[in-house]
Amino acid sequence: MTLTPTAQARQWLDDWNQALRSDQPARAADLFEDNGFWRDLVAFTWNLKTAEGSDQLRAMIDATVASTAPSDWALDGEATETDGVIEAWITFATRLGHGEGHLRLRDGKAWTLLTTLKELRDYPEPRGANRPKGARHGVFKDRRSWLEERQAEQAELGYSRQPYCVIIGGGQGGIGLAARLRQLNVPTIVVEKNPRPGDSWRNRYKSLCLHDPVWYDHLPYLPFPDNWPVFSPKDKIGDWLEMYTRIMEINYWGSSECTGARYDEQAGEWRVTVRRDGDTVTLRPKQLVLATGMSGMPNVPDIPGMDSFEGEQHHSSQHPGGEGYAGKRCVVLGANNSAHDICAALWEHGADVTMVQRSSTHVIKSATLMDLVLGPLYSEEAVANGVTTERADLTFASMPYRVMPEFHIPVYRQVAERDADFYQRLRDAGFMLDFGEDGSGLFMKYLRRGSGYYIDVGACDLVANGDIKLRSGVGIEQINPRSVTLTDGSELPADLIVYATGFGSMNGWAARIISQEVADKVGKCWGMGSGTTKDPGPWEGELRNMWKPTAQQGLWFHGGNLHQSRFYSRFLALQLKARMEGLETPVYGRQDVHHLA
Amino acid sequence: MTLTPTAQARQWLDDWNQALRSDQPARAADLFEDNGFWRDLVAFTWNLKTAEGSDQLRAMIDATVASTAPSDWALDGEATETDGVIEAWITFATRLGHGEGHLRLRDGKAWTLLTTLKELRDYPEPRGANRPKGARHGVFKDRRSWLEERQAEQAELGYSRQPYCVIIGGGQGGIGLAARLRQLNVPTIVVEKNPRPGDSWRNRYKSLCLHDPVWYDHLPYLPFPDNWPVFSPKDKIGDWLEMYTRIMEINYWGSSECTGARYDEQAGEWRVTVRRDGDTVTLRPKQLVLATGMSGMPNVPDIPGMDSFEGEQHHSSQHPGGEGYAGKRCVVLGANNSAHDICAALWEHGADVTMVQRSSTHVIKSATLMDLVLGPLYSEEAVANGVTTERADLTFASMPYRVMPEFHIPVYRQVAERDADFYQRLRDAGFMLDFGEDGSGLFMKYLRRGSGYYIDVGACDLVANGDIKLRSGVGIEQINPRSVTLTDGSELPADLIVYATGFGSMNGWAARIISQEVADKVGKCWGMGSGTTKDPGPWEGELRNMWKPTAQQGLWFHGGNLHQSRFYSRFLALQLKARMEGLETPVYGRQDVHHLA
């Protein structure tokens, strides 16, 4: 008689628990497949870390178990089995907190184990049964109202009282992290150059809508209501962020620009200078988070003759939208998301548009992405099946980056099949297509390099039928006063040039705000060393520098799409809270720096 | 062998269905106890109506079943049995919509049946799987962004395009109703004299917090997050309402005052004049909703000598809070919620305070209210037990007003027992206490007269220990330049007099805005004819004029606490939507007017 999946998972957890408590805990690594994985998010390693294979597993167990003192391993619900893989949700405790995670077993051995820190034991979040009372019942001669407390905090923080944490960048990432820090009672200021929360969306081109669907986009604590559109228009998400910032009582300094920051080793704190309301304020936080956009600084290519151009030229991030370009000859350099959106909007407003595609692009139709790729975790059906956002996020996190392509490649084969005609039409128009170097599609490209794809919401038809003119396999060789010369020697007349040429690594922001020295010390952000284009090896196992300790004390990077910002902000917030409270946070396996940017 | 509760409930539903489909549907009344109840909210009657006893049941069935054509009666989940009462959730369909409800059986007969209209078949709400897409995928030469659409709507509505509905009053009631109407695509403008949504809370005294807990207070569609305080501070709920209004895309005219309205019988529409931004705008909606506060206009007593008073005097609704009254001699006339809150805040700020209690007050400690009264339906435990807000609201609605006291009296006996010492201390201080004329406590007092109680959050201790001085069983006979003379002939020096003397009926607003004639035509609002103080008979079975057709075509009243506003706004919105779409909405049993105010 074979054991039920639940019994097998329970047996494994018992063995794991016993092995960890034995005098040779590293032997617990034998409970994994030879190429098994243990991904830990802050629970054991105070890091985001994936151990791959027996040697790394043994090392990580040896280094972390004694100080973590894990206990109370238990299943959360019943385990399931699909194609010989048993999956189970688990919970556990550590010396400092409560954790949750996920387990995959094959033939009785662990293929993947995920452990995540959910909450610090001594600092539970004020939610649910633990929510604040709001009213102070009783009578008090010194009563201050909620409003007075808030106003006092806003007046004091950053002036007579220093924040523990400063977040540079008040987009979705900075806002979501600040909400979590507020919940954890970590005094925090968000510094944002735009006046209002949401302006970083509002300021973009008019037709922009989120390319990710609503189920993927929730912020922490306050999910979108069920009448929220699938794809948020940019101004609507801007309003939501503004409202969220207010409701979450975030100390948000709008119209404020960080003009510099340096770490004072002696004092163990930052000196962050901020221009606010015409004054210069120096903030002295212990922790500094750059949440300036996962994409870093705009890449503007250096092309001979740029200075001589008599038309208008700007980077895609500065593009105001299609209005005002009717009848103009527009050249858009690039063929990824922004390039397609901008080309389509220009065409909609009556411009003459040419897209210059230098290298191949991964394209996936929005509806197909929803149905085949996101649907199982993030959709109305998923919600109906009981897949909460929390569960979906953990499921996604349970796949180590190394094996993630295995999960994705078959899905993208389906994608290619379903939309074969669509892809053929694009190829016939000369468009250079790819599905990633290993056929693993959108997410892997996003995780490896953060670029190289377009989620089609309509522009591909314009390319296929020639409404958007396409020049592919070429770049711009030279810019002339009223035209561009392509690398094949041909010339395109131009009134507008848009450089949809992407962004640099996030540590470019560190260079600008702190110093080149610190930027080089922490090195490249994002990507995991896959050895594919724009993501050089060696293999790192986790995204570089994101949401975890960097080589610069007190410096952190936060960013990514709404899903990542929501999920990883929890771990970043817990790391910051633990430090503020003086808990021991020994970091296991801090990464080496292999690339400067 | 007895049938399971579920089988019995199913059997009853089958019998009910068959009887309704027979050629003598009124015989379905025989399936009820002789004194059984059928409460219908808009599904059958296009009214809020409770039939009580066989005669009324037969009449209501006879009048409504043919036009409603109900079908698809089914149980929703398993029925339960407690103390001989079987309870079941039900669903059904009508010619025009989908319904849900609740059934109580005793010995095989229906004790209570609730039927409610949930949705109009041809006008499903854009939620969940039916939510809007947000982005218009594809390419369009005439594309307008979400922001442009919103801006155009705001510029046009009320000027070049008329709203179908105008709501006077932009407090929680008007806002929640407007959100529902927006969802149903009913063009609506909310007219509010304060600048910003939430100001009607912000403008009140500083220490004010909601007396109802968060689980009771959710607005439609967008529940409070789980970190929201149990008792919202007034400025925080103000912020929430402001953000909610924006997020729900409500057309909210702040700083706008309705200066008059009259119904144009010929045109079948209202002429509503509004002062907005210094201009007078005439709106011509088909439907006019007064959501000006369930309490109507402030009651200020007419006391000899008022004009001669040299100190400060105002109604409780105008009271600015305790600051600035340190050392002042303050007389507060009244002993209900506002009186207690104001007395406590004055004392906290160092004033010398006397409460003048004219008649007895029902008092319940906030914690006791939460534990014994609200807890089973609205609490963290209820949420954990799967009692969603929707379920809690329906459960509450399933109790016909006639039998509601039966449910409440035993609970308030427990209350009296639990807090016996507390009540004794109050009595010892001379405070006049009651539990309602039949011992049915807070809610019944609220439903009958909307006054006469205090939810204790601390002030009672001050009364009991004499910090707040108490004069009970007396009123103010005469006001002198620097004192008041009580009805027992004694005199109290006074620098401030606060009239915490309550509010009139909501039709006072109709008198002010429309005409006394229309106010008299629709008659008194609120209360159900219980024959208790301030709620004279005859028995009406439902609250007078609230959320249902009135004697004045196109005039509606909306209000109540957050729970009622949330729940009943659905039925009011469906009634308005049905009329806009030209559906047949035969109103059964419109009430007679027995009282003018």
Side-chain angles (χ1 to χ4, degrees):
Chain A
M1 194 185 107
T2 48
L3 292 171
T4 63
T6 299
Q8 290 184 63
R10 189 172 295 129
Q11 181 65 56
W12 190 92
L13 268 192
D14 288 346
D15 294 345
W16 168 250
N17 180 44
Q18 289 212 353
L20 294 185
R21 286 165 177 270
S22 73
D23 52 3
Q24 289 185 290
R27 286 211 179 155
D30 299 341
L31 295 167
F32 286 76
E33 296 179 356
D34 289 347
N35 293 312
F37 297 87
W38 176 20
R39 184 171 197 221
D40 178 63
L41 306 178
V42 179
F44 285 74
T45 58
W46 288 103
N47 199 351
L48 311 189
K49 198 76 194 170
T50 302
E52 307 185 350
S54 304
D55 290 349
Q56 290 184 19
L57 284 164
R58 265 192 292 274
M60 190 151 119
I61 293 167
D62 248 347
T64 64
V65 165
S67 63
T68 305
S71 63
D72 301 326
W73 296 91
L75 295 184
D76 182 9
E78 299 288 314
T80 58
E81 182 164 5
T82 313
D83 299 334
V85 180
I86 289 174
E87 294 192 58
W89 296 101
I90 62 173
T91 58
F92 60 93
T94 67
R95 196 167 54 82
L96 293 176
H98 304 284
E100 60 186 357
H102 183 270
L103 174 67
R104 280 188 189 84
L105 296 178
R106 289 195 293 212
D107 296 326
K109 294 234 173 186
W111 174 24
T112 68
L113 172 67
L114 171 72
T115 52
T116 76
L117 184 63
K118 190 178 168 69
E119 190 164 55
L120 291 165
R121 186 191 303 275
D122 292 341
Y123 306 96
E125 286 195 53
R127 306 173 71 173
N130 192 34
R131 70 176 77 221
K133 190 152 183 191
R136 239 173 116 202
H137 289 175
V139 284
F140 305 93
K141 282 281 184 189
D142 66 340
R143 186 189 290 274
R144 289 214 297 187
S145 71
W146 172 85
L147 181 64
E148 289 168 327
E149 303 265 8
R150 272 298 283 147
Q151 287 171 337
E153 180 184 26
Q154 285 167 336
E156 289 159 18
L157 201 66
Y159 298 94
S160 59
R161 191 158 66 84
Q162 285 302 315
Y164 180 76
C165 179
V166 166
I167 300 172
I168 309 294
Q172 71 226 22
I175 288 170
L177 176 63
R180 291 204 187 268
L181 290 170
R182 172 103 211 162
Q183 281 294 107
L184 291 169
N185 205 15
V186 176
T188 300
I189 291 173
V190 178
V191 176
E192 165 61 37
K193 66 178 189 311
N194 288 307
R196 289 186 302 157
D199 280 351
S200 47
W201 284 105
R202 293 191 190 94
N203 292 344
R204 300 204 60 197
Y205 53 89
K206 195 182 84 174
S207 63
L208 179 66
C209 289
L210 298 204
H211 288 164
D212 289 325
V214 60
W215 308 279
Y216 194 74
D217 301 334
H218 294 299
L219 292 163
Y221 308 113
L222 184 64
F224 295 110
D226 72 354
N227 61 355
W228 198 261
V230 177
F231 302 102
S232 297
K234 72 180 177 78
D235 296 285
K236 191 166 171 69
I237 196 83
D239 281 357
W240 181 263
L241 289 169
E242 186 173 355
M243 166 275 213
Y244 182 90
T245 300
R246 175 109 156 265
I247 290 302
M248 291 293 160
E249 303 181 16
I250 292 168
N251 294 302
Y252 193 94
W253 285 15
S255 303
S256 298
E257 194 162 2
C258 175
T259 54
R262 70 176 176 81
Y263 192 67
D264 181 335
E265 296 279 350
Q266 208 87 43
E269 63 187 26
W270 291 89
R271 296 282 186 276
V272 182
T273 50
V274 177
R275 289 290 294 172
R276 187 190 194 201
D277 298 335
D279 292 330
T280 296
V281 186
T282 300
L283 300 173
R284 291 183 282 108
K286 300 283 184 196
Q287 312 288 348
L288 180 65
V289 180
L290 298 189
T292 35
M294 142 226 159
S295 302
M297 319 276 288
N299 277 336
V300 181
D302 186 14
I303 303 175
M306 279 174 87
D307 290 347
S308 72
F309 188 60
E310 293 171 1
E312 189 181 346
Q313 55 184 333
H314 47 238
H315 186 263
S316 59
S317 58
Q318 304 299 317
H319 182 66
E323 303 89 331
Y325 296 105
K328 302 282 183 188
R329 295 160 307 178
C330 305
V331 174
V332 177
L333 180 62
N336 293 334
N337 255 337
S338 297
H340 277 86
D341 276 351
I342 290 169
C343 285
L346 285 167
W347 179 87
E348 286 183 345
H349 286 88
D352 173 89
V353 192
T354 304
M355 179 189 286
V356 178
Q357 183 187 30
R358 297 170 299 173
S359 58
S360 73
T361 303
H362 171 56
V363 171
I364 181 167
K365 288 169 83 81
S366 174
T368 303
L369 176 67
M370 303 282 293
D371 290 350
L372 298 184
V373 186
L374 281 175
L377 291 180
Y378 300 98
S379 65
E380 207 64 36
E381 294 70 42
V383 172
N385 291 333
V387 183
T388 61
T389 307
E390 288 71 25
R391 269 288 148 92
D393 288 353
L394 272 184
T395 304
F396 198 83
S398 73
M399 283 177 261
Y401 289 122
R402 177 82 85 171
V403 294
M404 203 176 271
E406 283 183 38
F407 286 85
H408 286 229
I409 289 168
V411 176
Y412 283 88
R413 275 204 209 103
Q414 273 184 278
V415 169
E417 203 169 301
R418 166 167 155 161
D419 296 328
D421 291 350
F422 165 77
Y423 288 119
Q424 193 54 51
R425 286 180 58 226
L426 276 176
R427 278 194 206 91
D428 291 347
F431 195 86
M432 299 186 297
L433 278 172
D434 70 66
F435 278 80
E437 289 172 34
D438 53 358
S440 60
L442 181 73
F443 285 124
M444 294 314 303
K445 260 198 154 174
Y446 172 67
L447 292 169
R448 288 165 176 170
R449 51 181 280 197
S451 65
Y453 49 81
Y454 170 53
I455 300 170
D456 179 42
V457 292
C460 284
D461 272 345
L462 295 177
V463 171
N465 66 20
D467 284 333
I468 294 173
K469 296 168 195 162
L470 176 69
R471 300 299 304 273
S472 65
V474 292
I476 299 179
E477 176 81 37
Q478 157 93 33
I479 294 179
N480 316 304
R482 281 285 162 197
S483 69
V484 302
T485 305
L486 300 183
T487 49
D488 64 357
S490 62
E491 193 177 341
L492 290 177
D495 305 308
L496 168 71
I497 307 173
V498 180
Y499 302 103
T501 41
F503 298 84
S505 164
M506 277 186 81
N507 67 338
W509 288 105
R512 178 149 123 183
I513 290 169
I514 308 166
S515 67
Q516 190 61 51
E517 187 193 345
V518 166
D520 291 348
K521 183 168 150 193
V522 300
K524 181 176 171 66
C525 298
W526 209 260
M528 68 281 261
S530 63
T532 58
T533 304
K534 300 196 178 179
D535 183 28
W539 179 251
E540 316 235 13
E542 292 284 339
L543 291 187
R544 299 179 188 94
N545 279 318
M546 298 305 299
W547 314 295
K548 62 183 181 182
T550 67
Q552 169 60 53
Q553 181 157 16
L555 180 65
W556 310 78
F557 292 91
H558 178 56
N561 61 30
L562 283 153
H563 152 72
Q564 292 168 308
S565 292
R566 170 182 66 244
F567 183 67
Y568 288 104
S569 58
R570 169 147 68 96
F571 304 109
L572 178 46
L574 287 170
Q575 291 172 80
L576 296 170
K577 172 68 173 177
R579 280 162 175 80
M580 185 178 92
E581 299 297 346
L583 305 182
E584 272 183 66
T585 57
V587 176
Y588 173 75
R590 198 184 323 246
Q591 72 185 33
D592 295 327
V593 173
H594 300 287
H595 307 283
L596 294 186
Chain B
M1 193 184 109
T2 48
L3 293 170
T4 63
T6 299
Q8 290 184 63
R10 188 172 295 129
Q11 181 64 55
W12 189 92
L13 269 192
D14 287 347
D15 294 346
W16 168 250
N17 180 43
Q18 289 210 352
L20 295 185
R21 286 166 178 269
S22 73
D23 52 5
Q24 288 186 292
R27 285 210 181 156
D30 299 340
L31 295 167
F32 286 75
E33 296 179 355
D34 288 347
N35 293 312
F37 298 87
W38 176 20
R39 184 171 197 221
D40 178 63
L41 306 178
V42 179
F44 285 74
T45 58
W46 289 102
N47 199 351
L48 311 190
K49 197 75 193 171
T50 302
E52 307 184 352
S54 304
D55 290 349
Q56 290 184 19
L57 283 163
R58 266 191 293 273
M60 189 151 120
I61 292 167
D62 248 347
T64 63
V65 165
S67 63
T68 305
S71 63
D72 301 327
W73 295 92
L75 294 185
D76 182 9
E78 299 289 314
T80 58
E81 181 164 3
T82 312
D83 299 334
V85 180
I86 290 175
E87 293 193 59
W89 296 101
I90 62 173
T91 58
F92 59 95
T94 68
R95 195 167 55 82
L96 292 176
H98 305 283
E100 61 187 355
H102 183 271
L103 175 65
R104 281 188 189 85
L105 297 178
R106 289 194 293 210
D107 297 326
K109 295 234 171 184
W111 175 25
T112 68
L113 171 67
L114 171 73
T115 52
T116 76
L117 183 63
K118 190 179 168 69
E119 190 165 56
L120 291 165
R121 186 190 303 274
D122 292 340
Y123 307 95
E125 286 196 54
R127 305 175 70 173
N130 193 34
R131 69 175 78 221
K133 191 152 183 191
R136 240 174 114 200
H137 288 175
V139 285
F140 305 94
K141 284 280 185 189
D142 65 341
R143 186 190 290 274
R144 288 213 299 186
S145 71
W146 171 85
L147 182 64
E148 288 169 328
E149 303 265 9
R150 272 298 283 147
Q151 288 170 337
E153 180 183 28
Q154 285 167 337
E156 290 159 19
L157 200 67
Y159 297 94
S160 60
R161 192 157 65 83
Q162 284 303 315
Y164 180 76
C165 179
V166 165
I167 300 171
I168 308 294
Q172 72 228 17
I175 289 170
L177 176 62
R180 292 204 187 269
L181 290 170
R182 173 104 211 163
Q183 281 296 106
L184 290 169
N185 205 16
V186 176
T188 300
I189 290 174
V190 178
V191 175
E192 165 61 38
K193 67 177 191 308
N194 288 307
R196 290 185 300 157
D199 281 351
S200 47
W201 284 105
R202 291 191 191 94
N203 292 344
R204 299 204 61 197
Y205 54 89
K206 196 183 84 173
S207 62
L208 179 65
C209 289
L210 299 202
H211 288 163
D212 290 324
V214 60
W215 309 279
Y216 194 75
D217 301 334
H218 294 299
L219 293 162
Y221 307 112
L222 183 64
F224 295 109
D226 72 356
N227 62 355
W228 197 263
V230 176
F231 301 102
S232 297
K234 73 180 177 74
D235 296 284
K236 191 164 170 70
I237 195 83
D239 281 357
W240 181 264
L241 289 169
E242 186 173 356
M243 296 302 113
Y244 182 92
T245 299
R246 175 109 156 264
I247 290 302
M248 291 293 160
E249 304 181 16
I250 292 169
N251 294 302
Y252 193 94
W253 286 14
S255 302
S256 297
E257 193 163 2
C258 175
T259 55
R262 70 177 178 81
Y263 192 68
D264 181 336
E265 296 279 348
Q266 208 89 43
E269 62 187 26
W270 291 90
R271 295 283 186 278
V272 183
T273 49
V274 177
R275 288 291 294 174
R276 187 190 195 203
D277 298 336
D279 291 331
T280 296
V281 185
T282 300
L283 300 174
R284 290 183 283 107
K286 300 280 184 197
Q287 311 290 347
L288 180 65
V289 179
L290 298 188
T292 35
M294 142 228 157
S295 304
M297 319 278 287
N299 277 336
V300 181
D302 187 13
I303 302 175
M306 279 175 86
D307 291 348
S308 71
F309 189 60
E310 292 171 2
E312 192 182 343
Q313 55 183 334
H314 47 238
H315 187 262
S316 59
S317 58
Q318 304 299 316
H319 182 66
E323 302 90 330
Y325 296 105
K328 302 282 184 187
R329 294 160 306 178
C330 306
V331 174
V332 177
L333 180 61
N336 293 335
N337 255 335
S338 297
H340 277 85
D341 277 352
I342 289 168
C343 285
L346 285 167
W347 180 86
E348 286 183 344
H349 286 88
D352 172 88
V353 192
T354 303
M355 178 188 285
V356 178
Q357 184 187 31
R358 297 171 298 174
S359 57
S360 72
T361 303
H362 171 55
V363 171
I364 182 167
K365 288 170 83 80
S366 174
T368 302
L369 177 66
M370 304 282 295
D371 291 348
L372 298 184
V373 186
L374 281 175
L377 291 180
Y378 301 97
S379 65
E380 207 64 36
E381 294 69 43
V383 172
N385 291 335
V387 183
T388 61
T389 306
E390 287 71 24
R391 270 287 148 93
D393 287 353
L394 272 183
T395 304
F396 198 84
S398 74
M399 281 177 262
Y401 289 122
R402 176 82 85 172
V403 294
M404 204 176 269
E406 282 182 40
F407 286 84
H408 285 228
I409 288 168
V411 176
Y412 283 88
R413 273 202 211 105
Q414 274 183 277
V415 169
E417 203 169 303
R418 167 169 156 159
D419 296 328
D421 290 351
F422 165 78
Y423 289 120
Q424 193 54 51
R425 286 180 58 225
L426 276 176
R427 278 193 207 94
D428 290 347
F431 195 87
M432 299 186 295
L433 277 173
D434 71 66
F435 279 80
E437 288 171 36
D438 52 358
S440 60
L442 182 73
F443 285 124
M444 294 313 303
K445 259 197 155 175
Y446 172 68
L447 293 168
R448 289 165 176 170
R449 51 180 281 196
S451 65
Y453 49 81
Y454 170 54
I455 300 170
D456 179 42
V457 292
C460 284
D461 272 344
L462 294 177
V463 172
N465 67 21
D467 284 332
I468 294 173
K469 295 168 195 162
L470 176 70
R471 300 300 304 271
S472 64
V474 293
I476 299 179
E477 176 83 35
Q478 158 93 32
I479 293 177
N480 317 307
R482 282 282 161 199
S483 69
V484 303
T485 305
L486 301 183
T487 49
D488 64 358
S490 61
E491 193 177 342
L492 290 177
D495 304 307
L496 168 72
I497 307 172
V498 179
Y499 302 103
T501 41
F503 299 83
S505 163
M506 278 187 80
N507 68 338
W509 288 105
R512 177 150 123 184
I513 291 169
I514 307 165
S515 68
Q516 190 62 50
E517 185 192 347
V518 166
D520 292 346
K521 182 167 151 194
V522 300
K524 181 176 171 64
C525 298
W526 207 261
M528 68 281 260
S530 62
T532 58
T533 305
K534 301 196 178 178
D535 182 30
W539 179 250
E540 315 236 12
E542 294 284 338
L543 291 188
R544 299 180 188 93
N545 278 318
M546 299 305 300
W547 315 296
K548 62 182 181 181
T550 67
Q552 168 60 53
Q553 183 157 16
L555 180 64
W556 308 78
F557 292 90
H558 177 56
N561 62 30
L562 283 153
H563 151 73
Q564 291 168 308
S565 292
R566 170 182 67 244
F567 183 68
Y568 288 103
S569 58
R570 167 146 71 96
F571 305 108
L572 179 46
L574 287 170
Q575 292 173 79
L576 296 171
K577 173 69 174 177
R579 280 164 176 78
M580 186 179 91
E581 299 298 345
L583 305 182
E584 273 184 66
T585 57
V587 176
Y588 174 74
R590 196 182 327 244
Q591 72 187 33
D592 294 327
V593 174
H594 300 287
H595 306 284
L596 294 187

